[in-house]
Structures are given as C-alpha cells and as structure tokens.
C-alpha cells in the first residue's frame, strides 16, 4: 500500500477567479451578442452606395443603367445547384462575371449579368426580352425543355441581384405578416391528383407553371417578372440622385398569342406534355420605380431580414441555455469551493493527529494523474487542430458581430474563415508540439506531418470526392481546377510552413507537471456503472448539445433550404454558452472520475465534449428525413459529405475546449499537493 505522505496547501482557492472569468466571458458574449442581435442590419462598413439618376442627367457621379445580375439556381429538393444559362433562359449577349472571392468559389456561386436592362425611373410595361423556340423533332431543344420541366418539378428557385441587394418575392402570411424570400420559383408543379405546392396557389401569379393532370398532360407558362424597385432621395439639395433600397418582384405567367402584340394579361400559357408542334416561349418583363423617403439606405436590408425568422424562438432557446449554464456553474462552484475544501480539511485533520495518515480519493493519484496517455500523438494532433478551429471561429464570429460580414458581401464569411484558418497554422503547431512533448513523444516527423496534413487532408479529400460527384451531375457548384489549385497553394505554401514554425517553437517547451510521476502505474479499482467511460462520454455530451440544437436547426436551414443566415449575434451568444458548458461539464466529470481513482482523464476529457458532434450528426440525419425533400443518390451523398465536414469541425472544437478545461483544473488542484 502506498503510504507516501504529502502536504496540502490552500492555494486551491486560485480556482475561484476561474469562475469569475467564466462569468465575465459570458457577460461579454451576451453584451456583444445582444448588440448584434437587437441592432438593425447594415451594409459592410467602408462601402459606398451606388447613386442612380435619370438618363438625361447621367454623369460621372451617377448612372442611369440599373444592372440585374443572376446567381445560380437551387432547390430545397436537391443539393445540386445549376447555373442560370443551363435552364435555357434568356441570356445577356455581353455576359459579365463579377470577380469572385474564396468563399464564392468554395460555394460554387456563379453570378453573371442578365439580359434585363433597366433604366432608372423609367416605367416599362410588357417588354419582350427573348423568344425561346422548342421543336418536337429537335433533340437538343427537346433536351433543354425536359431539363426545364425537371427543374420546375424540383422547385428550383431564381436568385436575382440588383445593386448587391437580392430581388425579393414578398407574400402575405396567415398571421398578417409579410414574408419575403430571396428567390422565386421558375415554375409550379402540380401532381396528377391536382395537388400543388404553396407557390402554385395563384397560377396567374406564378412563373413557369407545370400542371400534371395525366401522364401526357403538361401546362407551361412564360415568365413575366413584374419588378418594383423602391428607392429614396439622397438629399434635398440634389433631388435627381437616388439610391436603391429595395427590389421586389411579382412573378406572373401569361399566355401571349401574338408576339408582335404583347399585352401581359389573360390565362397562363398551356402546352401538352407530348407536344408535336413548335413551342414558342416569350419572356417579358415590366418595371416601375417608387420613391420611399421612410427607409434609409443603411437600413435597406431590414425588410428582408425582419421577415425571415421569428427571433422569439431564438430568445427562448438562449434563455434555456443560459439557465443550464447557471446550473452547471453552481455545480462547479460546489465541487471546487466546497468539495475540495472539505477534502483538504479532512486531510489536514488527519495530518495534525498522531495517527498514520491514510490517503484517499483523488489525492491517491498524484503519482499517476499526469502519466502520458496512450496514442498521445493523435491526441496532440487533434488538440492543435482544435485550437486552430477555436481561434478561427472566435475571430470570425467577432468580426461578423461587428458587421464586417454583411449579407451584401457574398462569400465574405467563408473567405474570412478560410484566410484565418490558413494564418492560424502557427498556434496549431505550437500547441500540438508542446502537448506532444508533454506526452514524451519521440516521433517528431510523423507528428509534424499529421498536424499539418491529417485533418485538412481529410477535408480536402472529402471536397474532392464530392466535387467529382457534382461534376458528373453537371452542377454549377463544382469547384474549378483553378479553385483547387488556389486551395492547395494556400494550404501547402502558407498554412504548412506556419505550422512548421509553431511546431519548432512548441517543441522547445513543455508543460511542467506539478507532481512526480510514479515509475509503475497504479491499479484502477472496479468502476461503478455510472463512471464507465462510454456511459459518461455519452451522457456528458447531452448538455452541450442541448444548448446548441436550436441554433443548429437554423444553421442547417441556412445551408440546405438556402435561407440567408444573418443572426451572428445569437450565434455568438450560443458560442459563448457552448464554450462555458463544455468547460464545466468536462471539469465536473473529470473530478468525479478522479474521486473514483480513475486517472485516465486525457482522452476522456476530450471525448466527453467532442461526443457532442455525434449527437449533431444524428440530429442532421433526423433533419434530413423530417425537414428536407431531397431526392437522388448524388444529393444524398453530398448531404452526408458536407455533414461529415461540419461534424469533424465541431468534434475538434468541442473536444479541445473540454480537454484544456480539465487540464487547467487538474494542474491547479494538484499544484496544491506537495510531496513530503
């Protein structure tokens, strides 16, 4: 029996500032998150508004041409987006493509100019854009029409852009509110029994209608976007200059009987599914401008954002998570302040007596608690990558809360995240190498390559595999060869050298263990069922998952139903709550295991919180079957592929938080133990 004595000092009270620090962290996150969540939307700071004027007043300070750009088309029933011109719509002869950033390249956004050329403050009615002819005996034209019909069946959506603003389709809801969406469907699909989706309630106000009545019957109608552009005067002294504050569309369908006499009224255009004659589809548009002095240009996104998601659910979820954090904080306070104080008092009483001291509880593990874990190389690699992702997420959310990643700056969020991840290779290498040296590792070459290549390489291979599937399907989401080369250059020429630099400095240092490690490992007593590793890991991860699953729903909605995600204030609050929750639940379970004389806490502290990612994966599968209507093997594979990447990021992120929380806790309490 080990009767080696040691002295306990009361500097364990240094843990009390930790609780205060967590409180300050939560308070700061709430303050910044509330400011971002309650504030109105605004454009990217530093950008200047576009000034418009009538054609007879056009000069270098304003322009009369209002350009309409079109983005890729997507659908909630398919993960695969397609470019605008694949559907054989009217195209711009002088096609222009704005420059794309890294985020747009990774997301496969394809923004091009459209044939709709509008002149500021000029009302136009039923203007012909182009005529598309489909011949029943022409295989190429028949292929185009069939592709268009399939797109309508899958409810693909247009996404138009004017002055960096999405062209919105606003409809009245049952509760009297106005709901605005960033896209509008290219058509309306009606089943053989007459059932239609919500976009087909009013056929005269729907674009491109498909109506299935039997196996050979088909209704097809032309597109008639009646755009309404609202705008405001810039100032009272220069009334001819205006700025766009809203672009709304009223998609309608009319049957044109005479190409030379367009009236834009009457029933929607109908054709048979098994057509034998030539089919002419005439695309027209009407536009009018309205003055609006009540809305400022800096607040022009408000009507889009306010009509999207009900924030009451968000506040309810955050309130519940906040209560969980307070409860866990109380438990941690009880464990740290009362339980440890009781242990020390009990031990000191025995120490002051004449009897031989008998060690008990977590103090028996002083010679084994810092024994290096098995597979320490892999754990150190995970920790390095987790620190990189943690810092990247924190900085990105902070910048987003300040408004620098506004919805108008497309792809900015992903661009910011990728650039930060590349530049944060040094902290990843430093932490990974320092932990590996603490674990007394010797395979430094293997460690470096795994730190620099393991997790990023897995993501790269996953993206490459999914890109091959997208390419075979002809989708516009394909990352070009040049895009992959750019990603490889950023990774291999910047991130890897920075990781090597951090690896070098990290390998020069090590974490000093506050107690001596025994040469022989101590036997671990038989554990009760509630202290079994798998049960503790599975149960411990439920609490962090419960704090984020509501926000996870909105994030999945943003990704897979193509809704705009802008609630970075809420997300930052949830980020802080998740950070505190993972820290506290890891510390609690770590203390309980130490009291049960189980010193295998290294991997357990990491896996307890990282298992949250497993619950998120299960929830993503549940979301797939209950909320989405995705069809096709390719779409399913893509959904799973992107979900695996998100789960991996969350796995490293939450696991790193739990590990270093336990590491700080164990180091602090055993620093109070001095061997006699």
């Amino acid at each position: 029996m080990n009767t080696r004595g040691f002295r306990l000092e009361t500097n364990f009270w240094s843990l009390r500032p930790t609780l205060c620090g967590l409180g300050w962290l939560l308070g700061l996150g709430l303050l910044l998150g509330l400011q971002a969540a309650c504030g109105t939307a605004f454009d990217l700071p530093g950008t200047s508004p576009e000034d418009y004027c009538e054609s007879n007043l056009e000069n270098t300070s304003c322009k009369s041409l209002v350009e309409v750009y079109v983005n890729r088309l997507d659908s909630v029933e398919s993960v695969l987006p397609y470019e605008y011109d694949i559907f054989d719509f009217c195209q711009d002869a002088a096609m222009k493509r704005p420059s794309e950033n890294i985020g747009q390249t990774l997301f496969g956004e394809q923004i091009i100019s459209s044939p709709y050329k509008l002149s500021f403050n000029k009302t136009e009615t039923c203007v012909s854009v182009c005529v598309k002819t489909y011949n029943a005996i022409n295989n190429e034209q028949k292929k185009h029409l069939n592709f268009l019909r399939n797109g309508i069946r899958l409810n693909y959506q247009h996404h138009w852009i004017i002055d960096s603003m999405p062209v919105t389709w606003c409809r009245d809801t049952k509760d009297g509110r106005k709901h605005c969406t960033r896209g509008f469907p290219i058509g309306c699909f009606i089943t053989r029994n007459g059932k239609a989706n919500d976009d087909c309630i009013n056929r005269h106000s729907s674009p491109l209608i498909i109506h299935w009545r039997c196996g050979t019957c088909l209704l097809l109608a032309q597109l008639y976007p009646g755009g309404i552009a609202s705008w405001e005067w810039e100032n009272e002294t220069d009334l001819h200059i205006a700025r766009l504050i809203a672009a709304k569309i009223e998609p309608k369908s009319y049957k044109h009987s005479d190409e030379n006499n367009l009236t834009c009224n009457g029933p929607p255009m109908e054709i048979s599914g098994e057509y034998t004659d030539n089919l002419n589809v005439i695309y027209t548009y009407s536009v009018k401008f309205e003055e609006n002095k009540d809305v400022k240009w800096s607040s022009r996104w408000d009507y889009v954002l306010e009509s999207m998601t009900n924030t009451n659910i968000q506040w309810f979820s955050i309130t519940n998570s906040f209560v969980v954090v307070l409860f866990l904080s109380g438990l941690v306070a009880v464990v740290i302040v009362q339980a440890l104080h009781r242990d020390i008092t009990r031990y000191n009483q025995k120490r002051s007596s004449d009897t031989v001291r008998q060690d008990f509880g977590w103090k028996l593990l002083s010679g084994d608690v810092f024994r290096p874990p098995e597979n320490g190389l892999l754990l150190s690699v995970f920790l390095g990558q987790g620190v990189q992702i943690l810092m990247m997420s924190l900085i990105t959310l902070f910048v987003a809360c300040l408004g620098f990643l506004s919805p108008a700056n497309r792809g900015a969020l992903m661009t910011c995240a990728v650039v930060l991840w590349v530049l944060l290779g040094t902290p990843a290498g430093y932490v990974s190498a320092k932990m590996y040296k603490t674990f007394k590792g010797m395979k430094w070459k293997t460690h470096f390559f795994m730190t620099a290549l393991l997790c990023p390489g897995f993501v790269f291979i996953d993206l490459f595999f999914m890109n091959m599937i997208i390419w075979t399907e002809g989708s516009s989401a394909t990352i070009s060869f040049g895009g992959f080369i750019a990603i490889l250059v950023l990774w291999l020429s910047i991130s890897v050298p920075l990781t090597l630099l951090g690896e070098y400095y990290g390998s020069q240092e090590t974490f000093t263990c506050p107690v001596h490690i025994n040469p022989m490992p101590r036997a671990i007593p038989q554990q009760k069922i509630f202290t079994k590793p798998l049960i503790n890991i599975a149960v411990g991860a439920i609490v962090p998952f419960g704090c984020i699953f509501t926000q996870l729903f909105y994030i999945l909605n943003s990704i897979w139903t193509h809704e705009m995600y802008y609630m970075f204030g809420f997300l930052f609050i949830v980020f802080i709550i998740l950070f505190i929750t993972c820290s506290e639940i890891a510390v609690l379970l770590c203390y309980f295991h130490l009291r049960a004389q189980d010193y295998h806490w290294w991997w357990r502290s990491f896996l307890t919180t990282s298992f949250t990612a497993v619950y998120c994966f299960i929830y993503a599968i549940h979301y797939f079957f209950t909320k989405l209507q995705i069809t096709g093997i390719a779409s399913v594979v893509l959904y799973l592929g992107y979900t695996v990447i998100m789960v991996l990021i969350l796995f490293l992120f939450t696991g790193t938080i739990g590990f270093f929380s336990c590491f700080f806790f164990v180091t602090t309490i055993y620093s109070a133990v001095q061997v006699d």
Side-chain angles (χ1 to χ4, degrees):
M1 179 180 296
N2 183 11
T3 60
R4 185 169 51 90
F6 51 83
R7 183 170 62 258
L8 287 172
E9 298 179 354
T10 56
N11 61 346
F12 77 96
W13 291 95
S14 61
L15 283 172
R16 296 186 67 184
T18 304
L19 296 177
C20 298
L22 292 177
W24 278 105
L25 180 63
L26 180 59
L28 177 62
L30 288 174
L31 179 62
L32 184 59
L34 287 173
Q35 182 179 2
C38 298
T40 55
F42 50 90
D43 280 81
L44 182 69
T47 58
S48 58
E50 191 75 50
D51 294 331
Y52 294 95
C53 57
E54 297 181 8
S55 57
N56 59 332
L57 301 173
E58 186 174 7
N59 52 49
T60 56
S61 62
C62 67
K63 63 179 184 179
S64 62
L65 177 63
V66 181
E67 296 181 286
V68 180
Y69 287 89
V70 292
N71 203 345
R72 64 181 187 178
L73 284 78
D74 49 41
S75 169
V76 297
E77 300 182 26
S78 175
V79 178
L80 299 171
Y82 290 97
E83 286 192 62
Y84 174 85
D85 54 0
I86 293 182
F87 286 92
D88 197 35
F89 296 126
C90 301
Q91 300 180 23
D92 186 13
M95 185 178 297
K96 296 185 296 183
R97 293 181 179 270
S99 59
E100 299 175 353
N101 53 39
I102 298 176
Q104 290 176 299
T105 301
L106 292 177
F107 280 120
E109 288 196 7
Q110 303 288 340
I111 301 177
I112 60 175
S113 58
S114 75
Y116 300 95
K117 306 299 180 182
L118 312 179
S119 181
F120 175 73
N121 207 20
K122 180 181 179 181
T123 301
E124 297 179 291
T125 304
C126 208
V127 178
S128 177
V129 182
C130 72
V131 179
K132 291 293 182 178
T133 301
Y134 301 98
N135 194 314
I137 61 176
N138 188 310
N139 292 331
E140 187 68 21
Q141 295 178 1
K142 188 175 181 179
K143 179 181 178 181
H144 284 312
L145 185 57
N146 289 334
F147 190 84
L148 181 62
R149 292 165 54 187
N150 188 58
I152 298 172
R153 181 180 63 85
L154 294 175
N155 196 26
Y156 271 82
Q157 305 276 320
H158 278 289
H159 294 284
W160 292 4
I161 304 168
I162 298 179
D163 191 28
S164 299
M165 283 285 292
V167 177
T168 57
W169 180 27
C170 298
R171 293 166 290 173
D172 293 327
T173 59
K174 296 180 180 179
D175 57 0
R177 298 174 63 250
K178 186 173 288 292
H179 178 71
C180 297
T181 58
R182 294 184 301 121
F184 57 94
I186 65 175
C188 166
F189 178 73
I190 302 176
T191 61
R192 298 176 181 177
N193 57 6
K195 183 179 180 181
N197 55 33
D198 295 337
D199 299 327
C200 307
I201 294 176
N202 187 354
R203 300 178 192 174
H204 293 278
S205 61
S206 298
L208 283 181
I209 298 176
I210 285 187
H211 187 174
W212 287 98
R213 294 188 180 181
C214 60
T216 59
C217 299
L218 177 68
L219 277 172
L220 183 64
Q222 71 171 98
L223 178 65
Y224 170 73
I228 301 177
S230 301
W231 51 284
E232 66 170 355
W233 297 116
E234 182 182 28
N235 54 57
E236 296 181 358
T237 59
D238 197 2
L239 298 179
H240 70 278
I241 294 180
R243 295 171 181 171
L244 182 73
I245 60 172
K248 301 178 182 179
I249 194 169
E250 296 178 5
K252 297 182 180 180
S253 174
Y254 293 114
K255 179 180 180 180
H256 292 298
S257 57
D258 187 359
E259 182 180 347
N260 299 320
N261 185 21
L262 302 176
T263 58
C264 291
N265 55 37
M269 180 179 177
E270 300 183 10
I271 62 171
S272 172
E274 297 295 333
Y275 61 95
T276 56
D277 299 327
N278 292 341
L279 170 64
N280 293 328
V281 179
I282 305 174
Y283 290 88
T284 61
Y285 74 91
S286 296
V287 63
K288 65 178 180 178
F289 293 79
E290 294 180 350
E291 180 182 358
N292 189 331
K293 295 184 178 181
D294 298 329
V295 181
K296 298 299 181 182
W297 182 86
S298 59
S299 303
R300 61 179 186 166
W301 281 87
D302 288 358
Y303 85 98
V304 179
L305 304 181
E306 290 174 356
S307 66
M308 292 177 59
T309 305
N310 191 352
T311 58
N312 293 333
I313 300 177
Q314 298 271 31
W315 285 119
F316 180 76
S317 172
I318 289 176
T319 302
N320 289 340
S321 300
F322 184 71
V323 172
V324 172
V325 169
L326 292 179
F327 176 74
L328 285 177
S329 300
L331 287 179
V332 172
V334 169
V335 169
I336 294 176
V337 178
Q338 294 186 7
L340 289 178
H341 179 66
R342 184 177 62 250
D343 290 345
I344 292 176
T345 303
R346 176 185 173 188
Y347 183 80
N348 288 338
Q349 287 175 352
K350 290 189 175 183
R351 183 174 180 269
S352 60
S353 63
D354 295 333
T355 59
V356 178
R357 290 173 299 171
Q358 179 64 45
D359 300 339
F360 56 88
W362 55 270
K363 293 177 290 300
L364 288 170
L365 307 180
S366 60
D368 297 278
V369 71
F370 289 101
R371 188 177 303 280
E374 296 182 1
N375 300 317
L377 187 149
L378 182 61
L379 179 59
S380 63
V381 170
F382 284 168
L383 293 175
Q385 291 294 325
V387 168
Q388 189 175 12
I389 293 173
L390 177 62
M391 296 178 65
M392 176 199 72
S393 304
L394 179 62
I395 298 175
T396 301
L397 285 178
F398 183 79
V399 172
C401 286
L402 294 180
F404 287 94
L405 304 178
S406 69
N409 195 8
R410 290 172 176 81
L413 181 67
M414 180 59 69
T415 301
C416 179
V418 171
V419 171
L420 285 173
W421 180 84
V422 170
L423 297 179
L424 291 172
T426 301
Y430 178 83
V431 173
S432 180
K434 192 171 183 178
M435 290 306 306
Y436 187 57
K437 190 170 185 179
T438 303
F439 297 156
K440 305 184 185 305
M442 301 298 295
K443 301 178 180 178
W444 285 103
K445 292 183 179 180
T446 304
H447 179 265
F448 164 69
F449 283 109
M450 290 186 66
T451 302
L453 305 177
L454 179 62
C455 296
F458 176 83
V459 174
F460 184 84
I461 294 174
D462 191 300
L463 287 175
F464 182 81
F465 174 71
M466 290 187 295
N467 198 69
M468 293 299 296
I469 297 177
I470 296 173
W471 179 75
T472 57
E473 295 290 331
S475 172
S476 64
T478 305
I479 302 175
S480 64
F481 179 76
F484 268 109
I485 295 298
I487 296 173
L488 281 175
V489 169
L490 288 174
W491 177 22
L492 299 179
S493 65
I494 300 179
S495 179
V496 172
L498 289 177
T499 304
L500 177 61
L501 179 64
E503 188 96 2
Y504 171 77
Y505 285 104
S507 62
Q508 307 302 313
E509 303 177 14
T510 183
F511 289 103
T512 303
C513 298
V515 291
H516 177 71
I517 301 177
N518 292 335
M520 295 297 293
R522 180 186 180 88
I524 299 176
Q526 181 69 28
Q527 299 294 303
K528 298 180 180 179
I529 187 169
F530 56 83
T531 58
K532 294 289 186 180
L534 292 179
I535 295 178
N536 268 261
I537 290 172
V539 173
I542 294 178
V543 179
F545 173 75
C547 293
I548 66 170
F549 83 95
T550 300
Q551 197 65 222
L552 181 63
F553 170 78
Y554 290 105
I555 293 175
L556 292 176
N557 264 356
S558 174
I559 296 174
W560 303 116
T561 64
H562 314 292
E563 293 185 2
M564 183 180 298
Y565 190 88
Y566 67 97
M567 297 170 289
F568 297 110
F570 290 119
L571 188 58
F572 189 79
I573 295 175
V574 173
F575 175 87
I576 298 299
I577 291 176
L578 176 63
F579 186 95
I580 297 176
T581 304
C582 289
S583 301
E584 293 178 339
I585 197 68
V587 167
L588 278 173
L589 294 180
C590 181
Y591 176 75
F592 293 149
H593 285 101
L594 292 179
R595 282 185 60 88
Q597 302 180 28
D598 185 355
Y599 54 85
H600 291 159
W601 62 274
W602 300 95
W603 271 106
R604 185 177 297 172
S605 62
F606 183 89
L607 295 175
T608 296
T609 50
S610 65
F611 201 78
T612 305
V614 177
Y615 288 124
C616 290
F617 181 78
I618 296 174
Y619 181 81
I621 301 299
H622 168 77
Y623 178 87
F624 175 84
F625 285 106
T626 59
K627 302 296 181 181
L628 298 180
Q629 301 174 344
I630 293 179
T631 58
I633 299 299
S635 296
V636 174
V637 173
L638 290 176
Y639 179 87
L640 294 177
Y642 285 116
T643 300
V644 167
I645 293 178
M646 292 187 291
V647 167
L648 174 63
I649 293 174
L650 188 63
F651 173 82
L652 297 172
F653 168 78
T654 53
T656 301
I657 296 174
F659 176 87
F660 282 107
S661 299
C662 285
F663 184 77
F664 175 77
F665 172 75
V666 173
T667 303
T668 302
I669 64 174
Y670 280 96
S671 295
V673 177
Q674 295 185 3
V675 180
D676 292 336

